[in-house]
Every structure is written in C-alpha cells, then in structure tokens.
C-alpha cells in the first residue's frame, strides 16, 4: 500500500526568519486593542494551546507579540494562564513553521514536495476532493480535526454534502464523559465540567491529572477549594501532582476503578450513608443498583484493587459526611480500558447517591451564552448532519463529531474513505489507533490534504500541504459553545498579520468552496460574519474586540428545596439504572470486569502530560521546551522494578511492548517510589520522527508508537489504550 511515501519537507519551503512581508504588514488593519505597558498595545483573544480556550492578552510592540498574559476579562482565565498559554509566542515565531503551500510530485520514481502558489494548491485540492465525492459519493470523504478553526471546513464540506468528521480527542477524552452525563442526567457535560469545585469540601479524583493536565479554571477552583479547607482524595497508581495535595493518596491497581466505585457505593448504601430523600424523590433504579453492588464488600474490592478495606470505608464515610458539598470528579483523558462510558456512569451514580446535584460544592449545570445563529442566506444550504458511527451511544447532537475518529482511520484502511482532510491533527502521534494504523490509513487514501502550522509528521504523508497561520494571526468563529457559571461568548482576533505566505483557515475553506463554484456560503469577510452574529444579541464586533469577551452575570446554580428536576432522561429523573443502556443491550448499571494483566517482566504503560506541553500543539515550542522539565520525557520505574532489571536512574533504555514493537528512540529512566510495581509511566507527545521539527526531533520516546492494542468502548466508540505493556531493552 505504499503509494505515498513519507516526504521530509525541504527546508527551503519552511520559515527561516520572523520577517513579515511589507505587503502583509501594510494590509493588516489592526485588531481591537488597548494601550498596554511601555507604549505597547494589548489584543484580547483566546488561547489555542488546549481545548480550555482561556482568554489571553497578547502584548504587541513594533509589530511583534512580545508576551502573552491571562485576560482579566475572560471568566476562564481570570487574569491567569497555565505555562503553555503564556508560551504562544514560541509557536508564532517558530523558525520551523510551514511558509508556503506544497504539492507532492513524483519524478523518476522519487517523491518530493515543490512550492506552489495558493491558487494552484487550492485548485488541486478542490478538484481532487470534488472528484472523489462525484465518483464514490460523499461518504468517501472525511475530515479529522483538532482546533477551533475547523468550523469553516465543516461549512465547506457541508456545501457538497460531506459530513463525516471526527476530533480524535473526543474519543480519547471528553466523549464518554459527555455521553455518561446525558444517560444519567439528560444533558451533556462540557468544558469546564459541571463541578462546583471552589465551594466543595471534599473532592475525589480517579486518575485525572489536574496540575499536570493544566485546565486553568479547574486548577484555580481546586486551589480555592483547598484554601477554603477542602480535602482531596486521589485514586491513582502514580503519585501525581494532585496526589501531592491529597489527604489520601490511594495507589489503586490499574484497570480496577469500577470495582472501587462499586465498593464505595456498597458502603454508602449498606451503612445508610446515602441521601435517602434525594434518591427516593429524584432517581430511578436504586434496587437494580443495590443488586449489582451488594456483593462488592470492601474486603472483596480490596482484593481486586489493592486498597485496604478500611481505607475504602474511610473514604466513603468522609465523602458522605461532607456531602452535599462533596463530589467524585468525572476526569479528563481517562478513557483507558474500553469501558469509559460505564466508568463515568459509576462516578455520576456516586454523586447522585449523596444528593449533591445542583448543591453548593457538588455537581452543577452551567449555562451557555444564548448566542443566536443567523439563518443561512446563500443558495446552497448546509446539508443535514448525519451520524455515521456504528456505536449506538455515539451522540447525534454533538457538533464536532459525526463518527468516532478510529472509524475514519479504519475506513481509510479498508478503502471506504478515499479522501482525507486533516486539520491540525498530527495523526501519526495521535492515540486514535496507534502510529502504524494512522500511517497505513494515510498511505491507503487516494488523496490527503493537511492544513497545519508546522511540518509535523502528518504533513509528510499529504499530497497537498496548506500552511495555516497561527491563532495569534487570525479570526476564528466565536467561542460560545460552552457553559460556565458566568456564561460568555469570546472572540479570537489577530494580534499580528499572518507571517510568510500562510493564511487563516476561514480564507482557505472559502477559497476551496468558491473553486467548486459555490458562492455565498461564507460571509463577504470573516469580520462581517462575526459582526452579524453579535448584532443579533445587541452587541457588535467593535464592542467585543475591546475586551475579547462578553460575559453574563453569574447564574443561579443551586436547586431550591422541593424543586422538581425535570431532567431530559426517559424517566425525567437521575437514572441510576439507565433505561436507554438496557434497551440497547448494555448493562443498565456499571459492573466491574477484569482486564488483561501484564505478561511476566512487562509493566502496564500509563501516560499523562507535563504542565508545559499539550502534545502536538507545543511539541516544537522552544520557549516551553527549554524549561528543564520539558526537554524530553522519562519513563517512571518503581525502584524495586529498577533493581530487578538492573536499571540506574538517568540511564537510557528502549521500551519494547507486548507485540514486540520497540521504541525508535531511547528514553531516560526515572527511578522512583512514586509509582506501583506493576506499571510504568511516560508523558505522551515526545519521540518525534520529523527532522523538520528541529526542536522536537528525537527528544524522548513516542508513547504512541508503543500502542499496538486498543479496546473500543462498545457503547459509544471511545478508544482505550492502557492495555499495552512494556519491558526494557538496555542500551548496548
Ligand atoms: Fe491555554 Fe493553558 Fe488555558 Fe489550555 S489551560 S487554553 S493551554 S492557558
């Protein structure tokens, strides 16, 4: 299937200096701004280094962004950013940036890229995508995406009836949490998740890594809760940053969380610690729930999880004591074993049992800013959204995904998908199905177009590479898709004009659409489109540019005594036992099932993040990578296991997984007592193979390369990848 070889993009097509063309500088009309310190101006926008999308203040002097700080006006940043957010200039001025459109050519059996004009590249992309759609139908085209500029490409594709798209992070992170919340409470969870952290007295976390996984507002609210005396409990095989703040760190055996949750439910019910009034008035399925946990005694659960029975009783009793100002958090990036939907259902049941729904310090339902979408005015109305996923609980009302991302990868491998548009996703290093399958999918596809900022691995497999400018150089759609305690709508606006010959996604999508002969699908300018939407709520682009955000007053989050919940579940109540799951042939209440154990001499490969890095978004960012802790990843090995394998702290080893896959680059050993003896841990996002990422190339080992097994959640299609095990190969 090697129709398409990987091409190392020649450096003559990459950015080498930070100079703007004179024309670009002149054409830039300037964004909404205020005067900053020392005569600089400040442009308010929002961050793109992770999905949290905090408000930023970009400080500009002499046409350059010289620092980025947290916007005081934006409710998710509240004047503060995580380290990654402040490091945005490292992306803007990255000398490795893609500078021109590139087209793949073959001459004399050799493949290479040549520089192309925008018109030539756009014409080729438009012809190829349309040709595939005409020959095979719209289902033969698909898009994998990550990043806020994707809305323009969804609009573009919808004009020719293509609506097969997926965001890999949905499968890997927020998807099961969203659907578990829908099944339990009747509404979807969001970012930030609906937990009243700052007012809580007792917060329980299962393996989620706040403080390493920098979710700015959540970290701020957890800190405020701790300052107000809240206790933290962390179940995690590894002593994480959050565990360092905990009253109880409980090093649970990996893959046994659901058993622990059932054990906690058992104690709450058997010791009459649950909120009987709430359960009787507002829930259904209590009898079915008790039937499923009555045998899960602390002693039995202790034998499964390695946590002492007394500790299980203590946590359950303390949790009930502090309720309703207590919660178990649903977590982020916790899709590990193919049972993520049921695992997060179990978390919601633990919350419902203590009656913390819409109570101070408990589970809350944040509200969205009521922005009205203008009706389409052009003669090619967008096609109806169609869900392509085969998983019964894949959502039909989620805006970013119509199919699970691994289904697109599999369809490209099988030949059902012939054309791929890959927007902002470095597919070979994305945990969709591991590196090998991602590369196989791109090689099998007839046509691949990559829209990206950097020459990451994915661009080497594309037929056409279209260089997008960074989030600091463009407008995107308004951010109003999320709910928070103060509902808001936020603006992304350019702080400086696009560098080199890069373009904003909104222009790229519009140019392709117009090549198809479709005019009017996009507003005459992105500014006019934004202004029109804002006028519908009595504001304007000129107004929102000043602070980058419109914010409503804080909403009332708490229920009144006797107030009916009126939930949009089949029963109208909180579903401890889910009628929909039962009707679909799945367990109505979550049940623990054992997962595969590591072979002798192998250790379960756990993964997470560093505070300075967001995987592909920041991999090549020198400003962040230069920080001592972000230069490379390490493999954490328990000191007893290190002794067994004669490993020294700081030595480099290769890792080999259960299927014989050996890491391409070596990784440094960190010998520590902060991890269990049956697991190792490494941060994802290192071990890049693209030599054109001159900072990231060959630093550390790729976690993704070592994923050769995945477990797919049969209910909603999320990908679990922590059933891969590794051992060590010492350097000769
Ligand atoms: Fe940016 Fe950090 Fe906020 Fe994410 S949490 S949006 S990386 S500042």
């Amino acid at each position: 299937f090697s129709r398409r070889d990987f091409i190392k993009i020649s450096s003559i097509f990459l950015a080498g200096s930070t100079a703007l063309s004179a024309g670009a500088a002149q054409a830039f009309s300037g964004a909404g701004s205020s005067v900053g310190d020392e005569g600089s101006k400040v442009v308010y926008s929002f961050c793109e280094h992770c999905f949290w999308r905090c408000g930023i203040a970009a400080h500009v002097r002499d046409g350059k962004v010289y620092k980025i700080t947290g916007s005081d006006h934006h409710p998710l940043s509240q004047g503060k950013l995580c380290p990654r957010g402040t490091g945005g200039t490292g992306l803007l001025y990255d000398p490795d940036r893609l500078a021109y459109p590139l087209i793949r050519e073959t001459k004399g059996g050799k493949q290479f890229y040549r520089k192309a004009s925008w018109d030539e590249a756009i014409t080729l992309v438009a012809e190829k995508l349309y040709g595939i759609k005409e020959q095979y139908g719209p289902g033969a085209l698909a898009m994998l995406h990550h990043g806020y500029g994707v809305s323009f490409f969804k609009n573009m594709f919808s004009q020719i009836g293509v609506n097969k798209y997926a965001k890999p992070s949905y499968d890997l992170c927020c998807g099961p949490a969203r659907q578990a919340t829908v099944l339990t409470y009747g509404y979807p969870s969001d970012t930030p998740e609906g937990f009243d952290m700052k007012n809580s007295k007792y917060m329980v976390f299962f393996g989620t890594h706040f403080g390493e996984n920098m979710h700015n507002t959540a970290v701020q609210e957890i800190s405020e809760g701790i300052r107000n005396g809240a206790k933290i409990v962390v179940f995690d095989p590894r002593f994480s940053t959050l565990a360092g703040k905990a009253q109880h760190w409980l090093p649970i055996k990996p893959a046994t969380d659901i058993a622990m949750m059932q054990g906690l439910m058992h104690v709450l019910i058997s010791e009459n610690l649950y909120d009987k009034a709430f359960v009787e008035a507002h829930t259904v399925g209590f009898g079915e729930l008790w039937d499923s946990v009555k045998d899960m005694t602390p002693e039995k659960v202790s034998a499964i999880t390695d946590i002492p029975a007394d500790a299980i009783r203590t946590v359950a009793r303390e949790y009930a004591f502090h309720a309703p100002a207590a919660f178990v958090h649903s977590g982020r990036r916790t899709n590990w074993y193919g049972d993520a939907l049921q695992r997060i259902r179990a978390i919601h049941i633990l919350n419902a049992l203590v009656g913390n729904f819409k109570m101070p310090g408990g589970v809350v339902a944040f509200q969205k800013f009521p922005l009205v979408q203008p009706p389409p005015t052009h003669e090619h109305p967008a096609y109806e959204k169609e869900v392509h996923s085969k998983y019964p609980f894949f959502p039909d009302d989620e805006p970013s995904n119509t199919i699970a991302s691994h289904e697109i990868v599999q369809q490209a491998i099988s030949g059902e998908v012939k054309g791929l548009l890959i927007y902002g996703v470095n597919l070979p290093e994305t945990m969709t199905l591991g590196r090998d399958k991602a590369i196989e999918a791109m090689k099998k596809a007839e046509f691949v177009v990559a829209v990206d900022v950097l020459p990451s691995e994915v661009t080497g497999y594309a037929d056409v590479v279209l260089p997008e400018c960074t989030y600091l150089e463009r407008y995107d759609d308004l951010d109003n898709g999320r709910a928070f305690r103060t509902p808001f709508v936020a603006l992304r606006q350019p702080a400086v004009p696009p560098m080199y010959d890069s373009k904003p996604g909104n222009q790229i999508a519009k140019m392709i659409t117009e090549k198809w002969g479709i005019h009017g699908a996009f507003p005459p300018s992105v500014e006019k489109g934004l202004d029109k939407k804002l006028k519908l709520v009595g504001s304007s682009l000129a107004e929102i540019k000043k602070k980058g955000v419109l914010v409503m007053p804080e909403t009332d989050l708490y229920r009144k005594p006797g107030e009916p919940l009126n939930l949009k579940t089949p029963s109208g109540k909180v579903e401890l036992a889910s009628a929909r799951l039962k009707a679909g042939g799945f367990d109505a209440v979550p049940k623990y099932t054992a997962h595969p154990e590591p072979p002798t001499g192998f250790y379960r490969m756990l993964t997470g993040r560093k505070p300075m890095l967001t995987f592909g978004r920041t991999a090549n960012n020198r400003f962040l990578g230069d920080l001592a802790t972000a230069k490379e990843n390490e493999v954490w090995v328990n000191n007893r296991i290190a002794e067994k394998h004669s490993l020294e702290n700081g030595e480099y080893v290769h890792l080999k997984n259960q299927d014989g896959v050996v890491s391409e680059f070596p990784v440094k050993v960190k010998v520590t007592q902060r991890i269990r003896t049956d697991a190792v841990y490494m941060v994802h996002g290192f071990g890049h193979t693209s030599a054109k990422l001159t900072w990231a190339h060959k630093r550390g080992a790729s976690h993704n390369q070592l994923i050769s097994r995945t477990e797919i959640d049969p209910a909603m299609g999320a990908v679990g990848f922590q059933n891969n095990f590794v051992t060590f190969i010492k350097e000769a």
Side-chain angles (χ1 to χ4, degrees):
F1 55 76
S2 56
R3 182 189 76 73
R4 184 179 301 104
D5 296 330
F6 176 81
I7 299 180
K8 290 181 178 166
I9 294 173
S10 163
S11 58
I12 65 161
F13 298 130
L14 303 175
S17 84
T18 56
L20 294 173
S21 76
Q26 266 175 10
F28 183 60
S29 57
S33 62
S34 57
V35 176
D37 53 327
E38 299 162 26
S40 68
K41 70 173 181 177
V42 177
V43 180
Y44 293 102
S45 186
F46 59 85
C47 182
E48 180 76 351
H49 274 174
C50 86
F51 56 85
W52 208 266
R53 302 200 290 278
C54 299
I56 59 169
H59 301 251
V60 182
R61 192 195 295 132
D62 299 330
K64 296 259 179 76
V65 180
Y66 69 94
K67 82 176 169 185
I68 296 173
T69 56
S71 165
D72 292 325
H73 309 296
H74 195 296
L76 295 190
S77 46
Q78 298 168 44
K80 301 184 185 78
L81 295 180
C82 83
R84 302 185 309 239
T86 61
T89 47
L91 176 68
L92 177 63
Y93 300 121
D94 191 322
D96 297 336
R97 271 182 62 172
L98 292 163
Y100 311 97
L102 301 171
I103 293 178
R104 174 184 294 266
E105 289 224 332
T106 306
K107 263 194 196 143
K110 204 164 179 289
Q111 297 187 0
F112 58 93
Y113 283 121
R114 68 172 172 81
K115 180 180 171 184
S117 69
W118 272 101
D119 189 60
E120 185 188 11
I122 291 289
T123 302
L124 180 61
V125 169
E127 279 176 10
K128 288 285 186 184
L129 294 180
Y130 200 82
I132 289 171
K133 180 245 160 190
E134 286 292 284
Q135 189 174 352
Y136 304 105
L141 288 176
M143 174 167 63
L144 289 157
H145 66 90
H146 194 96
Y148 210 63
V150 73
S151 61
F152 306 108
F153 292 91
K154 283 196 285 182
N155 183 28
M156 173 196 91
F157 259 155
S158 76
Q159 304 305 319
I160 57 168
V162 174
N163 51 21
K164 190 182 277 186
Y165 44 80
K167 180 170 68 170
S169 61
Y170 182 81
D171 304 6
L172 302 168
C173 181
C174 53
R178 180 192 197 277
Q179 290 306 88
T181 315
V182 168
L183 290 165
T184 313
Y185 295 111
Y187 65 86
S189 66
D190 212 327
T191 298
E193 294 86 0
F195 293 94
D196 191 14
M197 293 173 151
K198 66 180 180 183
N199 296 310
S200 188
K201 296 295 170 213
Y202 201 80
M203 306 183 226
V204 183
F205 299 94
F206 276 86
T208 192
H209 298 151
F210 288 116
E212 297 164 4
N213 218 348
M214 295 301 295
H215 301 163
N216 187 359
T217 331
V219 173
Q220 289 190 42
E221 289 215 359
I222 292 170
S223 304
E224 193 173 341
I226 292 171
R227 276 198 299 280
N228 293 334
K231 289 183 176 155
I232 305 271
V233 177
V234 171
F235 290 93
D236 198 320
R238 180 180 67 93
F239 189 80
S240 63
T241 300
L242 192 59
K245 307 287 174 205
Q247 180 91 357
H248 306 295
W249 169 49
L250 299 155
I252 190 168
K253 181 177 173 179
T256 66
D257 287 3
I258 292 179
M260 175 57 67
M261 292 164 191
Q262 288 188 290
L264 294 171
M265 291 175 206
H266 176 98
V267 178
L268 291 174
I269 298 172
S270 64
E271 296 190 10
N272 280 317
L273 299 172
Y274 69 101
D275 185 335
K276 278 202 197 66
F278 180 84
V279 167
E280 278 169 18
H282 298 299
T283 74
V284 292
F286 181 74
E288 215 169 323
L289 178 69
W290 173 240
D291 283 346
S292 70
V293 300
K294 67 183 173 210
D295 294 333
M296 296 298 276
T297 62
E299 284 68 26
K300 181 175 174 183
V301 170
S302 175
I304 297 169
T305 61
D306 283 356
I307 301 298
D310 284 352
I312 299 170
R313 287 195 175 89
T314 298
V315 170
R317 288 168 188 167
E318 289 182 358
Y319 175 55
F321 176 80
H322 289 95
F327 62 75
V328 183
H329 198 279
S330 51
R332 286 307 278 228
R333 293 196 71 257
T334 55
N335 305 347
W336 298 322
Y337 306 109
D339 56 6
L341 182 78
Q342 292 288 17
R343 181 180 168 283
I344 300 175
R345 280 262 306 139
I347 286 173
H348 283 317
I349 290 167
L350 278 168
N351 284 309
L353 282 176
V354 296
N356 66 8
F357 187 61
K358 293 194 174 181
M359 295 297 280
V363 170
V364 287
F366 295 138
Q367 301 296 311
K368 283 185 185 178
F369 192 99
L371 197 67
V372 188
Q373 290 294 329
T377 52
H378 55 89
E379 58 186 14
H380 294 275
Y383 285 69
E384 283 299 306
K385 184 174 159 181
E386 179 189 349
V387 172
H388 297 271
S389 179
K390 66 182 183 193
Y391 296 96
F393 291 95
F394 199 84
D396 56 9
D397 62 342
E398 205 283 329
S400 300
N401 303 276
T402 57
I403 185 169
S405 59
H406 62 86
E407 292 179 280
I408 291 182
V409 172
Q410 283 162 336
Q411 288 184 9
I413 291 171
S414 73
E416 185 177 343
V417 163
K418 311 274 188 200
L420 280 172
L421 190 159
I422 304 178
Y423 176 79
V425 178
N426 188 18
L427 198 58
E429 292 303 317
T430 301
M431 288 173 270
T432 300
L433 286 178
R435 184 193 281 181
D436 289 351
K437 289 264 192 285
I439 291 173
E440 188 181 352
M442 291 187 291
K443 285 185 168 181
K444 281 273 183 76
E446 281 186 17
F447 184 72
V448 178
V449 53
V451 182
D452 220 314
V453 173
L454 288 169
S456 50
E457 284 79 1
V458 67
T459 56
Y461 293 95
D463 295 285
V464 180
V465 180
L466 301 176
E468 192 184 27
C469 58
T470 71
Y471 69 100
L472 294 164
E473 302 161 290
R474 67 179 198 241
Y475 285 102
D476 276 332
D477 216 342
L478 295 168
D479 180 10
N480 80 313
R482 290 166 320 135
F484 192 51
R485 54 175 85 240
T486 47
F488 65 92
V489 56
L491 174 73
R492 171 164 288 153
Q493 59 178 326
V496 288
M499 292 173 67
Y500 318 112
D501 200 9
S502 64
K503 286 191 188 297
N506 62 68
Q507 280 184 31
I508 299 171
K510 188 177 179 188
M511 287 190 298
I512 296 171
T513 309
E514 290 181 350
K515 282 283 175 200
W516 291 332
I518 298 170
H519 298 274
F522 290 84
S525 72
V526 68
E527 290 96 329
K528 285 203 169 98
L530 294 169
D531 193 51
K532 187 171 179 180
K533 282 186 189 174
L534 289 159
K535 291 246 164 71
L536 292 171
V537 291
S539 184
S540 66
L541 181 60
E543 186 185 348
I544 199 173
K545 276 173 128 181
K546 292 177 198 157
K547 293 183 177 174
V549 68
L550 306 175
V551 185
M552 285 172 60
E554 186 152 348
T555 55
D556 187 1
L557 296 173
Y558 309 132
R559 65 185 152 93
K560 315 277 178 301
E563 181 183 320
L565 299 186
N566 297 327
L567 298 175
K568 290 183 181 155
T569 54
S571 61
K573 296 187 174 189
V574 180
E575 301 222 339
L576 305 178
S578 165
R580 289 182 59 203
L581 280 172
K582 193 174 196 166
F586 297 95
D587 289 335
V589 291
K591 289 177 187 148
Y592 166 72
T593 49
H595 294 282
E597 297 284 332
T600 305
F602 283 73
Y603 306 91
R604 191 180 297 274
M605 185 174 64
L606 309 179
T607 189
R609 282 184 177 171
K610 283 180 190 266
M612 271 65 79
L613 296 171
T614 336
F615 311 152
R617 288 290 162 86
T618 52
N620 205 53
N621 190 315
R622 287 154 175 77
F623 296 178
L624 296 172
D626 217 13
L627 298 166
T629 58
K631 282 195 167 78
E632 62 187 315
N633 58 355
E634 300 164 316
V635 57
W636 292 33
V637 182
N638 179 277
N639 50 310
R640 281 190 276 153
I641 300 306
E643 198 179 325
K644 192 171 153 191
H645 289 268
S646 306
L647 299 176
E648 297 288 333
N649 190 44
E651 82 168 279
Y652 283 84
V653 294
H654 286 267
L655 299 176
K656 181 172 84 169
N657 83 357
Q658 71 286 333
D659 297 319
V661 178
V662 178
S663 63
E664 192 164 345
F665 306 126
V667 61
K668 195 195 261 186
V669 173
K670 173 180 170 140
V671 178
T672 176
Q673 294 180 21
R674 290 171 55 188
I675 190 162
R676 286 174 55 98
T677 54
D678 51 3
V680 297
Y681 169 82
M682 62 192 292
V683 170
H684 184 87
F686 286 86
H688 283 273
T689 56
S690 170
K692 294 304 165 193
L693 296 174
T694 57
W695 172 266
H697 185 222
K698 286 190 177 178
R699 283 182 191 266
S702 165
H703 165 255
N704 207 46
Q705 190 203 347
L706 296 163
I707 296 176
S708 55
R709 288 185 193 172
T710 47
E711 277 183 271
I712 310 293
D713 190 315
M716 61 74 60
V719 181
F721 47 83
Q722 276 193 184
N723 56 350
N724 289 277
F725 310 106
V726 293
T727 191
F728 317 100
I729 303 176
K730 286 172 79 73
E731 294 243 270

